[in-house]
Amino acid sequence: MKLLGKMFYVECFMIIMVTWFVSMSYGHRAMISDVAEAPVIDDVGGSPSNGLDTSWYDARATFYGDIHGGETQQGACGYGDLFRQGYGLATAALSTALFNEGYTCGACYEIMCANNPQWCLPGSIKITATNFCPPNYTKTVGVWCNPPQKHFDLSLPMFLKIAQYKAGVVPVRYRRIPCAKTGGVKFETKGNPYFLMILPYNVGGAGDIKFVQVKGNKTGWIPMTKNWGQNWTTGVNLTGQGLSLRVTTSDGIKKDFINLMPKNWGFGQTFDGKINF
């Protein structure tokens, strides 16, 4: 009887353990299903977070272009006429260490000149990242945009707000800040029926985009691929369908722009998302 009792106890224990393992495994799969989009965001350049890192860091700053913003238009982020798109002269090109292969395009920063009383001016500026400051590996001195240096190549009017022109290059302190934009997010269409490219701009909040999805009135949500800068593409032919867009910024905040584009949308058009981050 004692042996039978022990066998019964062991059998019950094994049943309980199997039941616990199955329930835990199912629960784990359920949790993975709940966060299915998170790995996709990781794949495109960063993990979602609960907010921006607004700590202050050290860097340097120079300027490029003329007093009217010449040479600062267009650029590696894919934006066009920065005045028309709302960025104006409050812009900067980022070094490799900050540019992050274009994923930082649209991010906003506060910058102040620091630790150089001879050339620094009081106060700070707020800018949006709209371009890339390329490295120059043919030189070893005075090449501020080479990795791993953190550097801002400002428009001349912005540089003159924090430092004297003769300085040329100054040490600065910088931090990420939320982007304050007027009006809704704008979406410009490019490409052809087999290569739809969409450029979001005037993005508030974090400003920089990590994930975009598009949905036709006959499809589900389709992940888009970052092509260059902040241009996002899909090879799915969506002409003749009304389109919605889902945008996720670097801080993990997601916005749906439902029925953004009518069925007769075309290439080379810009659509107003009406809402912002």
Side-chain angles (χ1 to χ4, degrees):
M1 291 298 292
K2 290 183 178 181
L3 179 60
L4 290 174
K6 289 181 178 180
M7 291 176 63
F8 177 76
Y9 174 82
V10 170
E11 184 176 355
C12 290
F13 178 77
M14 291 178 66
I15 292 173
I16 292 171
M17 288 301 293
V18 169
T19 303
W20 176 83
F21 178 79
V22 171
S23 64
M24 287 298 291
S25 299
Y26 177 82
H28 181 61
R29 287 195 296 270
M31 286 188 289
I32 292 176
S33 175
D34 289 342
V35 294
E37 290 184 359
V40 179
I41 297 174
D42 286 341
D43 288 343
V44 297
S47 301
S49 63
N50 294 325
L52 297 176
D53 176 8
T54 57
S55 302
W56 288 94
Y57 296 98
D58 294 319
R60 288 187 177 88
T62 51
F63 63 85
Y64 72 117
D66 58 33
I67 194 65
H68 304 294
E71 300 180 24
T72 65
Q73 306 298 297
Q74 311 295 327
C77 286
Y79 305 127
D81 183 336
L82 299 180
F83 295 101
R84 180 183 63 83
Q85 293 174 334
Y87 298 111
L89 297 172
T91 63
L94 306 185
S95 63
T96 302
L98 294 172
F99 190 66
N100 192 23
E101 298 182 342
Y103 282 105
T104 313
C105 290
C108 296
Y109 295 88
E110 182 178 8
I111 302 172
M112 64 176 65
C113 190
N115 303 320
N116 195 331
Q118 181 181 2
W119 301 117
C120 286
L121 299 176
S124 65
I125 57 173
K126 296 177 181 179
I127 57 91
T128 302
T130 59
N131 206 350
F132 175 53
C133 183
N136 183 347
Y137 297 109
T138 65
K139 299 180 180 179
T140 57
V141 178
V143 187
W144 307 112
C145 289
N146 283 19
Q149 300 180 98
K150 295 180 178 179
H151 189 85
F152 296 87
D153 206 11
L154 302 167
S155 70
L156 177 55
M158 289 294 104
F159 184 86
L160 294 179
K161 289 179 180 291
I162 60 171
Q164 298 183 46
Y165 179 87
K166 290 183 179 180
V169 57
V170 291
V172 297
R173 298 276 288 166
Y174 77 93
R175 66 173 177 173
R176 283 287 301 270
I177 58 173
C179 298
K181 303 300 181 185
T182 301
V185 178
K186 307 297 191 298
F187 300 89
E188 182 180 344
T189 60
K190 310 174 186 178
N192 58 61
Y194 303 98
F195 185 75
L196 171 61
M197 180 180 288
I198 292 179
L199 170 69
Y201 65 89
N202 195 52
V203 181
D208 50 344
I209 295 171
K210 293 303 180 188
F211 194 46
V212 177
Q213 294 168 283
V214 61
K215 181 182 182 298
N217 59 275
K218 298 179 182 178
T219 73
W221 288 104
I222 302 168
M224 302 189 79
T225 303
K226 191 177 80 68
N227 190 272
W228 64 279
Q230 279 293 359
N231 285 291
W232 296 79
T233 63
T234 179
V236 179
N237 190 336
L238 296 170
T239 55
Q241 295 189 52
L243 301 185
S244 300
L245 287 172
R246 174 174 290 169
V247 176
T248 304
T249 48
S250 65
D251 56 355
I253 296 178
K254 181 188 301 181
K255 294 281 186 181
D256 287 350
F257 300 85
I258 302 299
N259 300 323
L260 173 70
M261 299 160 57
K263 293 181 180 180
N264 62 345
W265 64 269
F267 299 97
Q269 295 181 324
T270 300
F271 297 89
D272 190 341
K274 305 296 184 183
I275 59 173
N276 217 315
F277 287 85

